[in-house]
Amino acid sequence: MSNPLTLHAPAGEPFLEYQREFEFPAGAVFQGHMDPDLFVQWIGAAEFTARLDVFEPRSGGAYRVIQSQDDGGEFAFRGVFHTVRQDEFVLQTFEFEGYPDVVTLEYNTFTELPGGRSRLTGHSLYPSVQYRDEFLGNGMEDSMSAGYDQLDQLLFSVQTGR
């Protein structure tokens, strides 16, 4: 069973915070975010297929991800990895190409928990409350939750060979 995503978007503030626990070590969850072969298998909702145009998960590297739907529709997002610390921290920008010039600053912290478990904690800072609320209103929370559920399944299959 998957752990729930907890997302907090304070009224009147241009940021959101989120947490999700995993039944896997922080290093495995970090690897799921940084390994291009793993990342494309879980990012976004299940009805999307992802492909990487650019993916350089290192401090100073860039990324561009294109997601396709069964009906042929596509959209992309891109950014820059500002700081990457193995198994513990990522600071990056995020720009959905459907909202040009709306760039968020995001960080993820990967924390070990007892019993081989971990917690992912994230923070996203938007240029305005309006843009944050638009992203939330367009299903961002559901897409994040579905993606992390897929990451759970992927890490389980990597761990067990199934």
Side-chain angles (χ1 to χ4, degrees):
M1 181 171 160
S2 295
N3 295 308
L5 171 70
T6 303
L7 191 140
H8 177 63
E13 298 292 338
F15 68 88
L16 60 84
E17 299 170 317
Y18 53 93
Q19 285 191 354
R20 186 166 186 302
E21 292 186 3
F22 291 87
E23 304 301 316
F24 305 95
V29 177
F30 179 88
Q31 190 68 16
H33 283 76
M34 298 290 110
D35 182 307
D37 294 330
L38 298 176
F39 185 74
V40 296
Q41 293 182 60
W42 69 266
I43 190 66
E47 62 267 19
F48 299 121
T49 302
R51 70 181 188 277
L52 303 176
D53 184 37
V54 176
F55 198 72
E56 305 163 331
R58 57 174 170 72
S59 296
Y63 69 93
R64 182 169 186 262
V65 179
I66 302 159
Q67 292 189 314
S68 304
Q69 296 172 293
D70 290 341
D71 65 6
E74 288 189 341
F75 60 91
F77 55 91
R78 63 182 173 202
V80 174
F81 293 103
H82 290 269
T83 304
V84 176
R85 286 197 307 265
Q86 183 70 36
D87 298 339
E88 64 180 57
F89 183 79
V90 177
L91 175 66
Q92 66 189 52
T93 59
F94 173 92
E95 181 179 8
F96 176 59
E97 291 181 1
Y99 283 83
D101 303 325
V102 178
V103 178
T104 64
L105 183 62
E106 305 181 334
Y107 73 76
N108 285 312
T109 301
F110 303 81
T111 305
E112 293 289 349
L113 297 175
R117 302 176 68 245
S118 63
R119 178 182 302 117
L120 170 69
T121 303
H123 185 94
S124 298
L125 177 62
Y126 291 79
S128 71
V129 174
Q130 172 191 342
Y131 286 125
R132 186 214 52 193
D133 290 349
E134 284 181 30
F135 275 78
L136 286 169
N138 287 327
M140 183 181 86
E141 184 173 2
D142 290 341
S143 184
M144 286 176 68
S145 185
Y148 288 139
D149 289 348
Q150 291 173 147
L151 178 56
D152 257 341
Q153 294 168 6
L154 178 61
L155 293 175
F156 177 78
S157 68
V158 166
Q159 183 181 55
T160 62
R162 295 186 215 168

